[in-house]
Structures are given as C-alpha cells and as structure tokens.
Amino acid sequence: SPGAPKGVERGVPDGMKSPPRYTVDHEVRFASNRDGVELAASVFLPADWSATLPEKGKGNNDTSERSETTRGAEATSSSRDREKHGVVMVHAHPKFGGAPEMMHGLAADMATHGVAVVNLALRGAGLSGGASSWRGDNGEVSDVVTACDHAREELGCDRVHLMGYSFGATVCGGAIDKRDFIATYVAIAYPLGHWFSRGVLGVGAKILMHAHTPALKESTKPKLFLIGTADDFTSRGATERFAKRCSEPWRVETHEGCDHFGFVSPPWCERAGRDARGFFKTTNAYVDVTLEGAKAARVSGGEGGEWFHTQATPVRIARGDSGSGWDEVFEDAASPGAKT
C-alpha cells in the first residue's frame, strides 16, 4: 500500500473504504528456539496497535509487575480492557497442502477487531526453513512456542492465545502449557478422525493427528473446539466426546453446514473469529486465577533453566445452565500445567 513501510500492507476488510483497520507485515522472521531453523510469519496488527514491550532481562515466563497489575485475580474489567491480546495462528498440514496463506482471512478479521496475530508458517511450509513431519513431532511445537515468545516480547502482548486449524490445532495442543502467558486454546476443525465413518480421511487422521492429545487433555487452560456439522475428518459427536476427556474448562461450538475446509473462507472464518474473541472475554476471570496460582507454584530448574510447576491444584468451576458462558465461581488457584 502507498505510504506503508517495506513489507507492510495496510488492510481494509471487504466492504469498507477507509480508514485502514489493520496492517500486515509478511516479512517477519525469527529462529526456532529448538534448533535455530528460520521461521517465517505474517504479523497482522490492529491499526492503532502500540506495543508496550516487557522490561529487558525478564524471562519468557516471568510474571512482571505489569502482569501483576493487569492479570491478578482482582483485575477489574477496565484493566482487562487495557491488556493487549495476541493470537498465534497455525495452519493445516504442510504435507497435504496446508499453508499460512489459508489463514489470512481469519487473521485479518482478528486484527480488525483489536487482536494482534502472528500467523506462523510451520517448518517446511511457506517461507520457513526446515522440514515438516507427518505427526508434528519434529520441532513443530517448539516453532509455535517461539511464535508465542515473539508475540510476547516483540509485540508486547499481555496474553497470547493459540488458534490452530486442522493439523495446526494438534500442534498447538502440544504447546498449550509451555508458557504461563499462553492464556487459551482454540481448535478449529480438530482432525480427530474415525476408523469407519470418514473413509480414508478419517483413518489417516486417526493415525497421524494424535501425537499431542495427552498434553491437551491434561491442561487446565480454557479450550474451545469449533466443529462443522459436515466435517470431512470427524464428527460433532466425536469432538464432544474428546472435549469431555479434557480437563475443564472447555467448550464446543458447532457450525451448521460447515465442512472441514470451510473455516478458512467467509463467512465461516469471521464466525470462528467471533467465537474465539467471545471465548477470550468470558474466560478472562478464570485465566486471572490460574495465573496467580502459577506465580506461586513455579521453580527454576532442568536443562537450560526451564520452568516447572510444582503444584497442580485442580480448579472447580460452575457452568451456567445455558452453557453459553462461564459463571465466575472458582475454588482454589491452579497451575496451568505440569511443565513449561
């Protein structure tokens, strides 16, 4: 766009003339914290985004004074309004044609509504280096964590949310508890598969897409599953059964008539974005409590001084009868995970 910095485009959603609602930089690069592989990403930012960077010298998992004032259990709605939310977005399987470009519509929608997006190209996809693996167990999870660190350290995000589509949802599941500041998880068309009812697609998903389900099931961070009633890889019932095997809190939202590939195109991508933003808002109080628990339950140790949680106290929550939102009723403060 005229007047935009090199590599940065100014975006206006379809049907709008001016002013620009977001900017896009397609030339973002950073090295994977696992093995130094160069990763590419497109960063979508709201037009009025102004990053407040963490203090230098603070670790990725450090809960600074800034965090305490904005994310404590006593946080008010006004302090939450000042928080900067970012999303790390992850595409479908590179070996089956998955690419970061398929997420651009959803990324633009999120940025238009005030959420920063790091749209990651997994290793072996797009302009990222390295090679992809069939099951997402050869560095892909570390790639997602690296993108989360970028959102935190370079964009100044207070809370980072994971949003994965198809294979990307499985990889994000492995990263959910790797950082305290990762707040929630959104799975779009999680490819659970089925041995019988979905043919070769269902069988393939059963074999390839379950490498990271244990970490996802064990996490006590809020999880949202979006599934279409015409999904090609799995069913609404299978998604609901899987969600019930996950630690609370979780929610399943069904999109009538949407198939597995529909979520990356209008109108479904906008609807997915709306669901995700609503989920972020309704789980804010829960995240406040779990972050307070995490601060009291961390010690440094292990190779490279990574963080371990020494306490994992369950949180009991009360759900509203309608199932449309969380009642803010909590007993005990929980650590968001076992190891980060």
Side-chain angles (χ1 to χ4, degrees):
S1 301
K6 182 180 179 181
V8 176
E9 300 175 5
R10 301 195 186 282
V12 181
D14 291 343
M16 295 184 62
K17 294 182 179 180
S18 64
R21 298 293 300 276
Y22 63 90
T23 62
V24 190
D25 185 353
H26 294 298
E27 298 186 359
V28 175
R29 302 291 184 273
F30 40 78
S32 175
N33 60 22
R34 178 179 186 264
D35 51 16
V37 166
E38 185 178 72
L39 302 173
S42 294
V43 171
F44 292 69
L45 293 178
D48 59 352
W49 186 269
S50 176
T52 303
L53 300 179
E55 296 178 29
K56 290 185 178 181
K58 298 291 185 180
N60 291 335
N61 273 330
D62 187 82
T63 45
S64 63
E65 293 179 3
R66 178 168 67 95
S67 303
E68 291 181 11
T69 59
T70 59
R71 291 186 292 194
E74 74 285 356
T76 64
S77 58
S78 60
S79 67
R80 292 194 189 111
D81 289 342
R82 293 193 297 270
E83 287 181 332
K84 295 183 181 297
H85 289 255
V87 164
V88 168
M89 203 167 283
V90 186
H91 55 84
H93 207 306
K95 293 187 182 296
F96 298 112
E101 290 77 14
M102 63 174 44
M103 309 301 292
H104 283 183
L106 180 56
D109 180 76
M110 296 297 286
T112 297
H113 289 86
V115 181
V117 177
V118 179
N119 185 34
L120 175 66
L122 289 171
R123 59 182 58 211
L127 296 177
S128 289
S132 62
S133 63
W134 286 103
R135 290 170 54 81
D137 53 4
N138 189 37
E140 287 90 345
V141 170
S142 293
D143 297 348
V144 172
V145 175
T146 304
C148 292
D149 291 342
H150 182 86
R152 173 74 162 180
E153 297 168 0
E154 301 300 325
L155 304 182
C157 296
D158 297 289
R159 293 183 178 178
V160 178
H161 309 269
L162 299 176
M163 183 177 290
Y165 164 60
S166 191
F167 173 75
T170 74
V171 175
C172 286
I176 188 171
D177 283 332
K178 297 296 186 182
R179 293 289 185 266
D180 286 347
F181 59 79
I182 295 175
T184 70
Y185 164 91
V186 179
I188 303 172
Y190 197 108
L192 290 166
H194 198 279
W195 291 119
F196 308 108
S197 68
R198 291 298 188 271
V200 65
L201 297 179
V203 172
K206 270 289 188 184
I207 295 171
L208 298 176
M209 305 295 182
H210 287 257
H212 305 297
T213 53
L216 182 58
K217 290 178 181 178
E218 293 170 6
S219 176
T220 58
K221 291 186 178 178
K223 296 167 282 291
L224 173 64
F225 297 90
L226 304 180
I227 186 69
T229 57
D231 193 278
D232 306 81
F233 290 86
T234 192
S235 66
R236 173 175 52 188
T239 302
E240 291 171 344
R241 289 191 296 272
F242 177 78
K244 290 176 181 178
R245 293 196 291 270
C246 294
S247 299
E248 289 196 341
W250 54 262
R251 184 184 302 165
V252 177
E253 295 286 353
T254 302
H255 288 255
E256 193 70 31
C258 185
D259 64 19
H260 188 79
F261 306 98
F263 280 111
V264 296
S265 302
W268 306 109
C269 62
E270 288 93 346
R271 294 174 184 175
R274 178 197 61 203
D275 287 348
R277 291 187 298 274
F279 188 68
F280 301 162
K281 183 176 181 180
T282 58
T283 56
N284 255 330
Y286 178 91
V287 175
D288 289 338
V289 173
T290 56
L291 280 169
E292 287 301 304
K295 285 195 301 182
R298 290 183 297 123
V299 295
S300 182
E303 297 180 5
E306 67 264 34
W307 293 104
F308 290 83
H309 293 293
T310 57
Q311 302 171 16
T313 308
V315 172
R316 296 193 296 276
I317 67 172
R319 268 205 257 191
D321 293 336
S322 66
S324 60
W326 301 110
D327 290 337
E328 296 179 0
V329 179
F330 311 104
E331 299 179 14
D332 303 323
S335 160
K339 176 181 177 182
T340 60

